[in-house]
């Protein structure tokens, strides 16, 4: 059985990422569901949420982008 071909790398705007983070924060869907609904990887969505938390100051275990 062969490996699944890699998906080409895609770029997303900060506005799109912020929208995805907001959808996750509403709490009516899991991160996995949001990722599936928007054809994203769960890892990317989790990282965007984590980074948004760092930037907002609600986490302190990483670097902010500001």
């Amino acid at each position: 059985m062969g490996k699944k071909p890699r998906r080409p790398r895609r770029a997303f705007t900060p506005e799109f990422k912020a929208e995805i983070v907001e959808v996750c924060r509403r709490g009516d869907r899991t991160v996995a569901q949001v990722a599936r609904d928007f054809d994203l990887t769960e890892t990317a969505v989790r990282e965007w949420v984590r980074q948004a938390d760092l930037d907002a100051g609600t986490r302190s275990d990483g670097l902010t982008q500001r």
Side-chain angles (χ1 to χ4, degrees):
M1 210 181 257
K3 286 187 177 182
K4 189 174 170 182
R6 282 192 138 188
R7 175 190 299 196
R9 181 167 280 231
R10 298 180 292 171
F12 301 99
T13 65
E15 294 82 12
F16 179 77
K17 291 178 184 182
E19 180 182 333
I20 296 299
V21 169
E22 181 57 36
V23 171
C24 290
R25 287 185 175 157
R26 282 188 215 139
D28 56 340
R29 291 188 269 182
T30 66
V31 170
Q33 289 170 324
V34 172
R36 275 193 304 274
D37 291 348
F38 288 88
D39 191 30
L40 301 166
T41 64
E42 191 173 337
T43 302
V45 175
R46 288 188 188 284
E47 191 59 32
W48 295 349
V49 171
R50 179 182 167 277
Q51 187 62 55
D53 289 345
L54 285 167
D55 293 344
T58 57
R59 289 181 75 125
S60 60
D61 58 338
L63 299 175
T64 64
Q65 292 186 354
R66 293 185 180 174

